[in-house]
Amino acid sequence: MEVLKFPDPRLKQLSTRVEDFDSFTYKMAKQLLEIMYAEGGVGLAAPQVGYPTRLIVLDTDWITVRYRVPTVIINPLIFEYSEQKVKTLEACLSIPGFKSEVERSSHIKVQYHDLDGEFRVESATGLRAVCFQHEIDHLDGILFIGRISRLKRDIFVRKHKKRRKAGGH
Ligand code: ZN
């Protein structure tokens, strides 16, 4: 299983809800976590590995605290966004080699199911709030480069084309 890279059209798909909390969903979550840790990410969404369902994994602190506290999030819905915004330098495993500041709500309230099908409500702030928004965007086929200024996106597109010509990704 491999992380799909921009401009793979599958990254633009709308993902469907997870209906069964079965061994397949469990295996998928486990694999997503393995890939996320192996690639040094803090979040990964199932559509990024070509599996268009509403399943994401997060662990926003493991790189700094050096231990793992993974969260598996199924069918998430953000039902409250703070008016207060924050700009964070974002990166994405599907867009290697590019970072850009993205403006998002600094606080959110989100509901989801965990891997056991248990319903949860969480208030998230800081990097975790940003990650929730970034990963849930993936479920709706939105990449963070779709949320940056026209000018920055043009710079990205130019760099990307150059790299493709040079034989890279
Ligand atoms: Zn991403």
Side-chain angles (χ1 to χ4, degrees), residues 157-169:
V157 169
R158 226 174 299 140
K159 270 190 190 167
H160 184 77
K161 276 185 186 154
K162 237 186 235 172
R163 208 178 312 157
R164 288 193 116 191
K165 261 188 205 157
H169 291 287

Side-chain angles (χ1 to χ4, degrees), residues 4-12 94 143 156 160 164 169:
L4 305 179
K5 304 292 192 295
F6 174 86
D8 194 307
R10 286 172 289 177
L11 292 168
K12 285 187 167 180
S94 293
L143 297 173
F156 164 73
H160 184 77
R164 288 193 116 191
H169 291 287

Side-chain angles (χ1 to χ4, degrees), residues 68-99:
R68 296 173 176 185
V69 187
T71 317
V72 175
I73 295 138
I74 296 168
N75 301 334
L77 173 74
I78 298 173
F79 62 93
E80 220 178 284
Y81 291 88
S82 66
E83 273 176 38
Q84 194 191 333
K85 307 284 183 192
V86 63
K87 276 186 185 167
T88 313
L89 195 62
E90 292 190 24
C92 181
L93 294 177
S94 293
I95 312 173
F98 183 71
K99 286 182 183 176

Side-chain angles (χ1 to χ4, degrees), residues 111-138:
Q111 63 179 60
Y112 57 91
H113 286 88
D114 69 15
L115 207 42
D116 299 317
E118 216 63 55
F119 181 74
R120 292 176 181 264
V121 174
E122 188 181 323
S123 294
T125 61
L127 182 59
R128 195 167 168 91
V130 168
C131 269
F132 262 112
Q133 292 169 82
H134 177 119
E135 299 307 332
I136 292 171
D137 267 355
H138 277 299

Side-chain angles (χ1 to χ4, degrees), residues 10-71:
R10 286 172 289 177
L11 292 168
K12 285 187 167 180
Q13 284 182 89
L14 185 69
S15 290
T16 56
R17 287 176 65 82
V18 175
E19 301 294 349
D20 300 308
F21 296 82
D22 55 9
S23 62
F24 182 75
T25 303
Y26 181 84
K27 263 185 227 158
M28 180 57 58
K30 214 178 144 211
Q31 271 181 312
L32 279 176
L33 282 167
E34 274 171 22
I35 295 168
M36 181 188 80
Y37 288 125
E39 305 247 340
V42 292
L44 189 63
Q48 287 181 275
V49 296
Y51 183 68
T53 55
R54 305 189 81 79
L55 168 63
I56 65 181
V57 295
L58 283 186
D59 189 347
T60 44
D61 296 321
W62 74 279
I63 291 168
T64 43
V65 299
R66 290 169 178 276
Y67 57 84
R68 296 173 176 185
V69 187
T71 317

